[in-house]
């Protein structure tokens, strides 16, 4: 088969696919050019940068070659899944591969905001010694609220409990056997009112922010918001207002409403720990993503 990896792929996975006799092309295309290119490929592999919308799928239908779209990651909201499936194109993802990696980054942002790691390190690079300016808080004894308790949320919850935190989880599906004295499922309002840290791990729902002015108002004063899910899950203006007013202590962000991020006032705020959408960017995760992609193609 001809395979287009528009956002790149792990080298070992590429080598394995080529050894199986497939042709693999790693090349990013803007939407108009991608619409032309997909006409001559059997499989399209994307990550978060490439959006596979109806025009791309309509173009692929012209030749009927494209049979499979694989999202190297968890969420598939950058693909019009239902429309693709209706037109005979299967859509798959790799939900297990990056769960631990994203959970570790969320935890890193929690620690960064709690101890001012990001801004304190920045001021040192400017030859400043602000020892007394950065009085932090401990995670032990605090409560973490996890919105979306799937694979990533559960991985973060386990790590938080290991650090002595209590975990409140909100999800439309409840997994049996997870609750214990330090982890409970609760409704959204209870989570927001009691969590010292709130971490979002849900897909984008109709592009509307899950965390907005109204939900922030329900949050505990001095809480910290962590978002490593989707940028449009958070109203960035409402978040910035909450941080500047002191309603929230700060935020840890890996995803943004537009990427590359353009809200300079938010990501440059001293109470914000920020990274450029690197949630799945570890050597281990990329190997696992590549291995899952190979397995999907083999079984397909």
């Amino acid at each position: 088969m001809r395979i287009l990896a528009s956002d790149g792929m792990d080298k070992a996975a590429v080598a394995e696919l080529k050894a199986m006799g497939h042709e693999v092309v790693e090349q990013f295309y803007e939407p108009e050019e991608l619409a032309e290119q997909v006409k001559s490929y059997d499989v399209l592999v994307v990550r978060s940068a490439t959006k596979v919308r109806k025009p791309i799928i309509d173009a692929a239908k012209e030749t009927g070659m494209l049979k499979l779209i694989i999202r190297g990651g968890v969420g598939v909201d950058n693909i019009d899944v239902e429309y693709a499936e209706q037109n005979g194109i299967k859509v798959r993802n790799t939900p297990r591969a990056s769960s631990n990696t994203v959970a570790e980054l969320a935890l890193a942002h929690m620690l960064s905001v709690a101890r001012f790691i990001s801004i304190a390190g920045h001021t040192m690079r400017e030859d400043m010694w602000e020892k007394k300016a950065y009085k932090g808080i401990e995670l032990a004894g605090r409560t973490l609220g996890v919105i979306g308790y799937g694979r990533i949320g559960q991985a973060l919850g386990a790590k938080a409990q290991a650090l002595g935190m209590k975990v409140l989880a909100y999800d439309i599906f409840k997994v049996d056997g997870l609750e214990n004295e330090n982890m409970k499922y609760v409704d959204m309002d209870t989570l927001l009112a009691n969590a010292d840290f709130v971490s979002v791990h849900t897909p984008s729902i109709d592009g509307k922010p899950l965390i907005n002015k109204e939900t922030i108002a329900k949050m505990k004063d001095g809480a910290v918001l962590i978002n490593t899910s989707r940028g449009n899950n958070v109203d960035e203006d409402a978040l910035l207002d909450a941080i500047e007013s002191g309603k929230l202590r700060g935020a840890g962000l890996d995803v943004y409403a537009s990427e590359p991020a353009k809200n300079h006032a938010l990501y440059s705020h001293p109470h914000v720990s920020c990274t450029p959408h690197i949630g799945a960017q570890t050597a281990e995760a990329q190997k696992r993503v590549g291995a899952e992609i190979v397995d999907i193609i083999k079984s397909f």
Side-chain angles (χ1 to χ4, degrees):
M1 294 191 292
R2 298 196 75 222
I3 301 166
L4 174 61
S6 62
D7 299 327
M9 197 191 305
D10 178 67
K11 288 185 173 63
V14 172
E16 186 172 354
L17 288 169
K18 287 182 176 179
M20 293 162 59
H22 302 304
E23 178 187 351
V24 182
V25 176
E26 295 181 87
Q27 177 66 52
F28 176 79
Y29 294 104
E30 294 296 340
E32 287 187 6
E33 193 170 1
L34 179 62
E36 286 300 314
Q37 292 295 328
V38 293
K39 296 176 183 179
S40 59
Y41 285 91
D42 300 284
V43 180
L44 173 61
V45 181
V46 304
R47 292 185 58 193
S48 58
T50 298
K51 307 296 187 286
V52 189
R53 302 302 181 201
K54 290 182 179 181
I56 305 295
I57 296 166
D58 286 338
K61 284 163 51 182
E62 292 179 18
T63 60
M65 273 193 70
L66 188 65
K67 306 172 187 69
L68 176 66
I69 301 170
I70 303 174
R71 161 72 162 98
V74 181
V76 290
D77 43 303
N78 57 323
I79 303 170
D80 285 339
V81 177
E82 186 176 349
Y83 191 69
E85 296 272 0
Q86 287 173 353
N87 286 279
I89 302 170
K90 300 297 183 184
V91 180
R92 300 288 183 267
N93 64 346
T94 61
R96 297 180 299 277
S98 57
S99 298
N100 183 69
T101 295
V102 177
E104 286 191 359
L105 181 64
L107 179 60
H109 277 301
M110 289 167 59
L111 289 163
S112 180
V113 177
R115 300 303 305 272
F116 296 99
I117 293 171
S118 179
I119 184 63
H122 176 75
T123 56
M124 284 193 67
R125 287 188 285 275
E126 295 184 345
D127 294 323
M128 300 169 67
W129 189 259
E130 301 285 313
K131 178 180 174 68
K132 294 183 178 180
Y134 302 121
K135 184 177 182 179
I137 59 173
E138 293 183 358
L139 267 61
R142 305 275 174 174
T143 298
L144 168 65
V146 182
I147 301 174
Y149 212 61
R151 289 183 176 90
I152 298 172
Q154 290 169 33
L156 176 60
K159 297 175 195 306
Q161 290 176 70
L163 291 175
M165 300 186 77
K166 292 190 178 296
V167 176
L168 300 177
Y170 171 77
D171 201 297
I172 56 174
F173 300 106
K174 294 183 179 180
V175 179
D176 293 335
L178 293 181
E179 288 189 300
N180 56 54
E181 61 180 355
N182 293 316
M183 183 268 151
K184 302 293 181 186
Y185 281 107
V186 295
D187 59 54
M188 177 73 89
D189 285 354
T190 299
L191 184 152
L192 294 173
N194 291 279
D196 300 293
F197 293 80
V198 175
S199 193
V200 183
H201 299 283
T202 67
S204 175
I205 308 298
D206 299 327
K208 296 178 181 178
L210 179 67
I211 303 299
N212 52 33
K213 184 177 180 180
E214 289 72 26
T215 49
I216 289 173
K218 295 178 180 180
M219 290 174 68
K220 189 175 181 179
D221 290 348
V224 173
L225 178 71
I226 306 295
N227 186 21
T228 56
S229 59
R230 290 289 180 267
N232 54 14
N233 274 335
V234 175
D235 182 328
E236 293 184 348
D237 292 335
L239 174 59
L240 181 59
D241 288 345
I243 295 172
E244 291 184 334
S245 71
K247 167 65 179 175
L248 297 184
R249 177 183 179 87
L253 305 173
D254 185 50
V255 289
Y256 308 88
S258 61
E259 296 183 1
K262 296 179 174 62
N263 194 333
H264 184 269
L266 178 63
Y267 66 72
S268 65
H269 196 284
H271 287 210
V272 173
S273 173
C274 55
T275 46
H277 203 154
I278 60 170
Q281 291 285 9
T282 64
E284 295 87 349
Q286 290 311 302
K287 286 185 181 300
R288 290 193 294 266
V289 168
E292 277 201 55
I293 289 171
V294 171
D295 287 344
I296 290 168
I297 292 172
K298 278 182 179 178
S299 64
F300 182 80

